[in-house]
Amino acid sequence: MPRHGTHTSELAGRFSQDPDWDYEIRTTLGGAFSGAADVGEVLAAVADVGKDHRAWFRAWDALGERVAAVGESSAVAGHRVSAASAFLRASSYYAVAVNAVAGLEDESPLVPTFRKHRAAWDRWVDLVDLDVERVQIDYEGTTLPGYFFRAGDDGAPGSVPRPVVIAVNGSDGSLTSLWSACVSGALRRGYHALVFDGPGQQSMLFEHGVPFRPDFEAVLTPVLDTVVARPDVDPERVTVYGISQAGYWVTRALAFEHRPAAAVVDPGVVDVATSWEREVPKSLLKLLDKGDDHAFDRDMDLGMRFSKGTARTWRFRARPYGVDGYAATLREVRRYDATEVAGRVTTPMLVTSPEDEQFWPGQSERLAGMVPGATVVTFSDGEGASGHCQPLARALTEQRMFDWLDERLAR
């Protein structure tokens, strides 16, 4: 089960003694670079949380409420720029509250909190001085909701088609996190950008019950079809960015879908199950390997009775996989493995590799060894860039990945 491991570095001290909460704070603070957070209001909100899961949820939910109210007041007063800024930050804070529901005994706040997050995001989309188009991507008899961001004045007649970045989220990331991780930097460099909810992600999971799928080419292909059909997109300069668990999804998809001109995975992920099985005793994994699912479920259930918090987190993290039972869940997660297909990738790929990677240590280099011609870019604690997805070094990450993309696209 994914957990945020304890850092060995002393980067910026600790914002919380709970490693999961510490990482959430770091990730949120990293969004300040793109306007998705304000450092002081974040640190003030979590200063007195302690170790109480309810207090942790309430802190983020209340911060989202307060900043959204600022946005509404600014909008009513005609201060459009201030309103947009507040709603972007509120959407970021609500997104943390959504994930904080994992620690609550009662999950009933999940959908209402998600809807507050998405409402704040949509208010930002409507107010921000950017060209943003809501899109619906055809997908297996339904549609995936997305947002297409245009760079420059490309909506004007006669505009020149531009390169585009398709941003793919991880297991529990919000659209706001993709703004900070990729979209903001893309627009400043003249790339269009697309974000969307895929199977098992955000609205598709919380409101429609659509689970993850390991064969992500079935998702990326219709997304690409939608993007390359646009007259404002250069179909020869379509790129893909995948953050966190999307390091697996993008790799898997590109083994079968070869149209993108370049891709970035942040970081590299070969087999997702590693991050789950690290937390499971080896004796139990032997039961699973022998096919004794009954004994595995029995012993896991016994262990979870002594750690209700871990049980709640497991339930929250397992939900997107769409199966019931401990053994069935781990077997499903094990299907998310690119070992057999990574060698088929022909798209030039950049793989980030941060020091102190908590979830998939060593897998960036492993993936790069499988994908022909892949390039690894390392990030270190000395640069302030350690930890999964370099949460406090998004400016540095943006610079390195877009410089690489520019060079691949000969821009």
Side-chain angles (χ1 to χ4, degrees):
M1 176 177 53
R3 300 285 293 177
H4 300 291
T6 303
H7 282 228
T8 57
S9 73
E10 296 300 322
L11 173 61
R14 280 204 165 278
F15 298 107
S16 170
Q17 291 306 305
D18 183 297
D20 292 326
W21 296 359
D22 183 70
Y23 183 76
E24 288 279 18
I25 295 169
R26 288 169 184 261
T27 299
T28 307
L29 293 177
F33 169 66
S34 60
D38 205 7
V39 174
E41 65 190 9
V42 169
L43 296 181
V46 300
D48 299 319
V49 166
K51 299 180 179 180
D52 187 297
H53 286 277
R54 289 171 297 179
W56 174 252
F57 168 78
R58 287 196 300 264
W60 291 102
D61 187 57
L63 181 57
E65 294 275 5
R66 181 171 69 78
V67 178
V70 170
E72 204 60 65
S73 296
S74 293
V76 169
H79 303 302
R80 189 182 182 99
V81 173
S82 296
S85 173
F87 280 119
L88 178 62
R89 299 190 334 265
S91 72
S92 180
Y93 305 149
Y94 279 135
V96 182
V98 169
N99 287 339
V101 173
L104 304 180
E105 294 181 12
D106 175 17
E107 291 191 356
S108 63
L110 178 61
V111 172
T113 306
F114 167 72
R115 287 176 175 163
K116 288 192 293 185
H117 153 71
R118 187 54 61 89
W121 165 267
D122 279 325
R123 290 286 278 143
W124 172 71
V125 165
D126 291 336
L127 288 163
V128 70
D129 187 20
L130 294 171
D131 189 351
V132 190
E133 176 187 347
R134 291 173 175 82
V135 297
Q136 294 294 325
I137 300 163
D138 290 334
Y139 169 75
E140 297 194 349
T142 185
T143 58
L144 305 176
Y147 298 77
F148 190 88
F149 293 78
R150 290 191 189 90
D153 298 319
D154 287 80
S159 60
V160 177
R162 289 180 181 263
V164 64
V165 178
I166 297 171
V168 182
N169 230 328
S171 62
D172 57 8
S174 67
L175 296 185
T176 315
S177 68
L178 286 178
W179 164 258
S180 297
C182 176
V183 176
S184 174
L187 296 178
R188 291 198 307 277
R189 291 166 173 83
Y191 291 72
H192 300 318
L194 174 76
V195 299
F196 65 97
D197 288 341
Q201 296 175 334
Q202 299 285 286
S203 67
M204 294 305 294
L205 176 67
F206 300 144
E207 298 184 319
H208 303 288
V210 178
F212 289 155
R213 60 186 301 168
D215 55 338
F216 202 77
E217 64 274 13
V219 181
L220 186 61
T221 290
V223 171
L224 280 166
D225 290 343
T226 298
V227 168
V228 300
R230 298 180 61 95
D232 51 3
V233 166
D234 181 348
E236 300 300 318
R237 295 191 292 171
V238 175
T239 67
V240 184
Y241 169 78
I243 191 167
S244 193
Q245 189 163 312
Y248 162 76
W249 278 311
V250 169
T251 300
R252 162 73 197 208
L254 293 180
F256 301 91
E257 174 56 77
H258 303 296
R259 283 179 289 177
V264 177
V265 289
D266 184 17
V269 180
V270 178
D271 61 289
V272 173
T274 297
S275 63
W276 288 66
E277 294 182 358
R278 185 184 304 115
E279 305 296 327
V280 179
K282 292 183 179 179
S283 59
L284 268 67
L285 290 176
K286 288 181 179 179
L287 293 175
L288 188 69
D289 293 338
K290 289 193 304 182
D292 194 346
D293 290 9
H294 174 75
F296 182 86
D297 283 352
R298 178 200 62 211
D299 292 353
M300 284 288 289
D301 184 64
L302 180 62
M304 293 296 184
R305 291 181 187 180
F306 291 97
S307 180
K308 292 184 178 180
T310 301
R312 290 193 292 270
T313 299
W314 175 286
R315 188 165 58 248
F316 190 87
R317 298 294 186 187
R319 179 190 318 225
Y321 290 91
V323 296
D324 296 321
Y326 297 113
T329 296
L330 271 188
R331 290 195 189 285
E332 179 65 18
V333 176
R334 283 179 171 183
R335 295 178 64 205
Y336 294 67
D337 190 324
T339 302
E340 299 300 321
V341 300
R344 303 181 192 176
V345 176
T346 60
T347 303
M349 179 179 286
L350 182 72
V351 184
T352 69
S353 178
E355 186 177 355
D356 293 332
E357 163 64 37
Q358 306 101 292
F359 284 175
W360 295 286
Q363 291 206 16
S364 290
E365 286 74 15
R366 184 179 162 204
L367 178 65
M370 296 175 175
V371 174
T375 300
V376 176
V377 58
T378 60
F379 293 87
S380 68
D381 182 55
E383 297 171 303
S386 61
H388 183 63
C389 300
Q390 310 82 238
L392 291 176
R394 294 313 303 179
L396 179 63
T397 303
E398 177 184 297
Q399 172 253 309
R400 288 179 176 170
M401 76 179 197
F402 278 107
D403 287 358
W404 182 86
L405 285 174
D406 284 348
E407 291 166 6
R408 297 291 80 68
L409 301 183
R411 298 182 75 235

